[in-house]
Amino acid sequence: MDSKFKNQVREQFGKTAAAYVEATHFSGGKDLEEAARLLKPTHDDNLLDVACAGGHMALFFAPLVRQVVASDLTMQMLKKAQEHIAEEGRVDNVIFREADAEDLPFPAGSFTLLTCRIAPHHFPDVPRALREFHRVLRRGGRMAIIDTLMPADPEIADFFQTMEKMRNPTHIRAYSEQEWRQMVEDAELILQETIIISKTHDFQEWVKTAGLNRARVQELNKYFMDAPPKVHDFFQIESFAGEVESYTDQKLLIYATRKEKEKK
């Protein structure tokens, strides 16, 4: 990861760390439930949560496993996640590590489970990150990645890419399901299942997590309102008196495993 961009990511997420902890659209959802159903966590499992942000994924899985290592590139985000989990007072098996998803500071085969939620679209080199995920997973280990799905229609995809960068300049790109399938296969992980899940976002909360000032919020609101009808239909944009209230996008859950050790 380019050091200049890495510092930009730290700055962006450091200033909005508290908003990520408070955001209701991260604290729960069908994606968490489906990830748990597929991963089938047990108290023998050691889980790595990559790019943990406000710690919601780590907190969700902590009661279900032996230990969670919550990692993130941004130290301020880690501090807020640690405060959030401590305040919940329900778990004591989460530890925190500063870590770059593309260069994880853990020995090979350290974890039986790995999660990464709503983060890869900020990674400059997703294939490299997936190779790292493969490396730190034990043989037979299970992995669940959740990220925003790139729309198939080129015009809608262009709108999506533009609005994401308007909101957060560290957004790089989302990927199609086929691109994810190929990247997972190239990383020598075994794709087991994919699930598409709709997610509705409260517009004001969504812009708050990006730390936008009033002028940029108004610019983004106008971009949504001026979008073609098919964009409004695809994202189910809800508005009142010229103000966007919510929109709905699609998340892709990728469940994959590392190959079991071959029996002699």
Side-chain angles (χ1 to χ4, degrees):
M1 186 188 287
D2 177 79
S3 60
K4 184 178 179 181
F5 179 78
K6 189 185 300 185
N7 289 333
Q8 185 183 1
V9 170
R10 288 193 178 103
E11 181 181 358
Q12 172 67 28
F13 288 96
K15 71 182 182 181
T16 60
Y20 269 83
V21 169
E22 296 164 3
T24 58
H25 64 274
F26 286 121
S27 60
K30 185 179 178 182
D31 58 333
L32 290 175
E33 296 164 8
E34 286 294 306
R37 180 184 66 82
L38 292 167
L39 290 173
K40 295 180 174 58
T42 75
H43 290 288
D44 293 326
D45 282 312
N46 187 29
L47 184 149
L48 173 63
D49 185 32
V50 179
C52 70
H56 300 99
M57 190 82 154
L59 180 60
F60 181 85
F61 274 93
L64 309 175
V65 299
R66 179 169 59 85
Q67 184 182 69
V68 177
V69 177
S71 70
D72 202 278
L73 181 66
T74 306
M75 182 56 71
Q76 186 61 26
M77 187 70 82
L78 281 173
K79 289 178 180 177
K80 289 297 182 183
Q82 187 171 13
E83 290 172 8
H84 168 58
I85 291 175
E87 287 170 3
E88 290 294 317
R90 293 184 285 117
V91 298
D92 59 2
N93 62 338
V94 182
I95 61 175
F96 300 84
R97 286 288 302 273
E98 185 178 12
D100 181 344
E102 296 168 8
D103 189 18
L104 294 170
F106 307 108
S110 295
F111 303 95
T112 57
L113 295 180
L114 185 147
T115 57
C116 184
R117 185 187 187 212
I118 321 296
H121 59 274
H122 296 286
F123 297 171
D125 193 340
V126 172
R128 179 174 172 176
L130 287 172
R131 290 194 297 272
E132 278 292 274
F133 295 178
H134 178 279
R135 182 183 66 80
V136 301
L137 270 177
R138 191 173 303 172
R139 287 188 179 275
R142 295 101 71 202
M143 176 187 82
I145 295 175
I146 303 162
D147 205 18
T148 305
L149 184 63
M150 176 69 87
D153 183 290
E155 186 178 358
I156 297 173
D158 183 63
F159 170 87
F160 169 78
Q161 279 291 103
T162 301
M163 68 91 158
E164 283 283 9
K165 282 188 171 292
M166 287 174 69
R167 172 181 172 266
N168 186 335
T170 68
H171 170 86
I172 295 178
R173 62 162 295 193
Y175 296 88
S176 67
E177 181 175 352
Q178 184 55 45
E179 287 175 313
W180 269 113
R181 286 177 173 274
Q182 188 63 56
M183 290 189 294
V184 167
E185 182 181 319
D186 290 346
E188 299 183 355
L189 290 156
I190 303 167
L191 182 66
Q192 301 288 351
E193 190 172 342
T194 60
I195 302 173
I196 296 174
I197 301 168
S198 294
K199 185 87 169 182
T200 299
H201 304 267
D202 177 274
F203 185 79
Q204 290 302 322
E205 184 177 76
W206 181 68
V207 295
K208 182 181 179 182
T209 56
L212 300 185
N213 61 33
R214 181 173 175 79
R216 289 180 64 194
V217 171
Q218 290 177 334
E219 182 184 3
L220 191 53
N221 184 85
K222 185 177 187 303
Y223 186 69
F224 268 78
M225 294 302 297
D226 291 347
K230 72 175 181 178
V231 170
H232 276 255
D233 291 342
F234 182 87
F235 289 108
Q236 302 172 44
I237 297 171
E238 298 288 342
S239 62
F240 179 76
E243 299 291 328
V244 178
E245 294 186 326
S246 68
Y247 80 97
T248 300
D249 63 9
Q250 293 182 324
K251 307 301 181 188
L252 181 68
L253 192 164
I254 303 112
Y255 171 52
T257 57
R258 183 175 174 183
K259 186 178 180 181
E260 293 270 11
K261 188 174 183 179
E262 293 181 1
K263 295 179 182 180
K264 293 184 180 180

